[in-house]
Amino acid sequence: DAPCAVRPRVSRRSSLSDDDRTTAEAYLSSLGFSEGELRKLKSRNGCRFGPDVENKIKPFLRWLSALGLSDLEVRKVVVAFPMAFRSRLEETSKPVVMWLRA
């Protein structure tokens, strides 16, 4: 496997080293994701866990919050389904939720 992309650490709350933290992990840590949650995300995606924060993570988290999920529920969804960050929100997640609500 290729090495992970490394970015400066944003939050000091986690003991993951600077060399092990991607921009996405640093952003999620700054939102309160625990070290355990970040480890789960990384283990489910390998070193490739580095989705675009501005174009993937932030819109997805805003959408989950707009659905009425609490911060804890949002974290649970993200940890359980991290591949959602790789999908296109408008083409996959939103239609599924609309279908489930119908």
Side-chain angles (χ1 to χ4, degrees):
D1 289 349
C4 298
V6 178
R7 298 291 184 267
R9 192 159 116 179
V10 171
S11 172
R12 298 283 178 205
R13 287 183 282 180
S14 172
S15 64
L16 288 174
S17 72
D18 291 348
D19 293 339
D20 293 333
R21 191 171 297 275
T22 65
T23 303
E25 290 170 310
Y27 176 71
L28 293 172
S29 178
S30 75
L31 295 178
F33 280 71
S34 71
E35 182 177 336
E37 290 168 327
L38 293 173
R39 255 194 320 269
K40 285 179 186 176
L41 285 169
K42 197 167 187 174
S43 71
R44 291 180 177 155
N45 285 287
C47 283
R48 296 175 305 198
F49 185 70
D52 181 353
V53 172
E54 293 299 321
N55 295 313
K56 293 285 186 176
I57 294 178
K58 285 183 180 181
F60 187 70
L61 296 179
R62 277 193 302 266
W63 177 68
L64 290 174
S65 294
L67 289 174
L69 288 124
S70 69
D71 290 346
L72 176 63
E73 291 168 326
V74 168
R75 286 198 317 270
K76 285 181 178 182
V77 168
V78 169
V79 171
F81 305 105
M83 291 305 291
F85 288 139
R86 294 178 187 254
S87 65
R88 295 178 188 218
L89 184 60
E90 297 293 331
E91 295 173 9
T92 55
S93 300
K94 285 185 178 182
V96 170
V97 169
M98 289 175 57
W99 176 76
L100 290 170
R101 286 183 166 175

